[in-house]
Structure formats: structure tokens, C-alpha cells
Amino acid sequence: MADDSQHEHTFESADAGASTTYPQQCSALRKGGFVVIKSRPCKIVEMTTSKTGKHGHAKVHLTAIDIFNGRKLEELCPSTHNMDVPNVTRREYQVLDVSDDGYLSLMNPDGDQKDDVKAPTGEIGDKLKKLFEEESKDVNVIIQTAMGEEVCIEAKEAPRS
């Protein structure tokens, strides 16, 4: 008989196996869609296709903006090749509090709390601060998630129920 100890496995963590990206042919990508360039999730702002050359493929030139840091990235890819497209989700949460260290305390419509999203800076941060702290209104934020990163992309006054 084989030793039972060699057949015991311990799993530290498990997930549903959902991938953060999926492949899509370059020629099927569209302006306004999402794509992964240099391991960063980006939104396509410009796309041009060159004709096939003497020996080869039509090329697609993509210009895209990183959805988290706003940097402009470019990629040149044969139109028949696949590129990764990030699974991007947007969820609306109610703001419960803004901590002193700059994190949002949020609640989704099911009542689950989330405390790991950093408060936005710039125009969205100013709007959130004005509505929540100065006017003491109920505020909803939209959190965009892709490839394990999250960012607040919009703040608005919550509708009265």
C-alpha cells in the first residue's frame, strides 16, 4: 500500500477560476473598447489599419489610455493575431465614510461593506468631498475593476428613496 500522507493536499486558497482577461482578434477590437497593452488595462482611443504588405499581414495600430493612471500607450499588432482584453466591471456603491488615511468606506446594494478603495483625487475627489463633507448628502460612487485593480471613476448624489 502507498503511504497516505503523500496523497494529502492542502489548498491555501481557491477562486472561481475566472480569468482577468480573454483573447480577441486584433481586427475585432473597436474604438472605445478595452485592451491590454504592456500588461495594463487600457481603453482604445484611436485605431488604424494598414494594408497588407508584399509579404504579410495587415497591421493594426492601437492608441489607448490606461484606465487607472491615464497614461497613453501604443501597440502595433498583425490584424490576425489575438490580444488580451481585460474583464472590466463597474459597480455602484454608497459612501458611508471617508477615513483620515484616504480610504472610502462603501456599501453595495446587498448591504456588504467594502473598505479597501482609495478616495479619488482631482475633480472626482473634489466633487466627492463637496457632496459628502460640505453638503452632508448621501453619495454614490462608481468603482471600476479590472485585472485586480480598482478605482473610483464617478461620484454623484444618491437618489432619494
Side-chain angles (χ1 to χ4, degrees), residues 9 14 22 24 26 62 68 72 75 90 93 96 104 107 112 129 136:
H9 300 286
Y22 60 94
Q24 188 171 15
C26 248
L62 298 167
F68 294 116
K72 186 176 181 179
E75 182 78 35
R90 293 170 169 218
Y93 292 89
L96 301 176
L104 300 174
M107 183 173 68
D112 299 327
K129 190 174 279 190
S136 298

Side-chain angles (χ1 to χ4, degrees), residues 92-95 128 138-142 154-159:
E92 193 166 319
Y93 292 89
Q94 181 181 352
V95 178
L128 175 68
D138 289 339
V139 180
N140 284 359
V141 292
I142 295 179
E154 189 180 339
K156 59 187 179 184
E157 187 176 341

Side-chain angles (χ1 to χ4, degrees), residues 30-47:
R30 295 287 170 252
K31 185 176 175 178
F34 297 102
V35 68
V36 176
I37 298 177
K38 296 183 177 91
S39 301
R40 300 291 305 159
C42 302
K43 184 171 191 166
I44 301 169
V45 291
E46 192 178 327
M47 195 174 154

Side-chain angles (χ1 to χ4, degrees), residues 8-25:
E8 288 180 22
H9 300 286
T10 55
F11 298 98
E12 297 302 321
S13 68
D15 60 18
S19 177
T20 57
T21 63
Y22 60 94
Q24 188 171 15
Q25 194 170 6

Side-chain angles (χ1 to χ4, degrees), residues 104-122:
L104 300 174
S105 182
L106 307 170
M107 183 173 68
N108 70 5
D110 300 333
D112 299 327
Q113 285 195 351
K114 180 176 186 57
D115 298 315
D116 58 351
V117 178
K118 214 160 176 40
T121 56

Side-chain angles (χ1 to χ4, degrees), residues 24-30 47 49 60 77-82:
Q24 188 171 15
Q25 194 170 6
C26 248
S27 57
L29 297 170
R30 295 287 170 252
M47 195 174 154
T49 307
V60 176
C77 164
S79 64
T80 56
H81 288 201
N82 283 347

